[in-house]
Amino acid sequence: MGHREDLLEGAKRCLLEKGYARTTARDIVAASGTNLASIGYHYGSKEALLNLAFLKVTEEWGDVLTEKRDADGDEASRPPLDQFRDTWQQVIDSFEGTRSVWQLQMEVVSRIDQDPELRKALLGPQREGRAGLAENMLGIDPEKDPEKARVAGLFCQALLAGVMVQWLMDSESAPSAQDLTDGLKAVLEGRES
């Protein structure tokens, strides 16, 4: 790897260990084995590097879902609620191992109003991420049905953010995959007459 890649890997490690606000340029240099001038040369600023590192961290989490879905085989043949429950079980099972990713996401969300460059950097990837969530969690192909994938992705993203917050605050009472599935069934069935 060259300095550019080393810096990105170092920044990802720092974000997960220290968070966004507490990561300094010197931390990144120490973690990457590079020098301070490399940050400006390759990325323009520490903030630009951290923004890219954050995007890569969240993308890697999404890749884990994709790999699991691909390993499980033909999702289309399974009932949608089973697929929904099993995907949520995978997300919840991975939570403790990815807790630092979720903490980082909460920190980044809290910085959006003070950092217009961060907001700008997240807009496109956030929209792409919704399409990935629709595909990975619900089996909706964004290329075949972009509008269905868009609204399903919005739903999945809202649900994921809410579940994540509940797990960060109180994992003992946070929803299980079965709770989420039963809740979705209740919503779909509506109020009985």
Side-chain angles (χ1 to χ4, degrees), residues 4 7 25 29 34-49:
R4 182 173 179 76
L7 284 166
V29 167
T34 61
N35 59 63
L36 282 173
S38 294
I39 294 173
Y41 178 78
H42 290 291
Y43 293 97
S45 69
K46 176 190 85 165
E47 290 74 20
L49 172 56

Side-chain angles (χ1 to χ4, degrees), residues 5 8 11 18 23 29 34-35 55 66 89 98 108 114 120 137 148 153 155 162 174 186:
E5 296 82 13
L8 184 58
K18 299 184 86 156
T23 295
V29 167
T34 61
N35 59 63
L55 292 173
T66 302
Q89 188 63 56
T98 59
V108 167
Q114 297 91 19
K120 187 176 169 184
M137 292 187 155
K148 186 175 184 181
F155 171 76

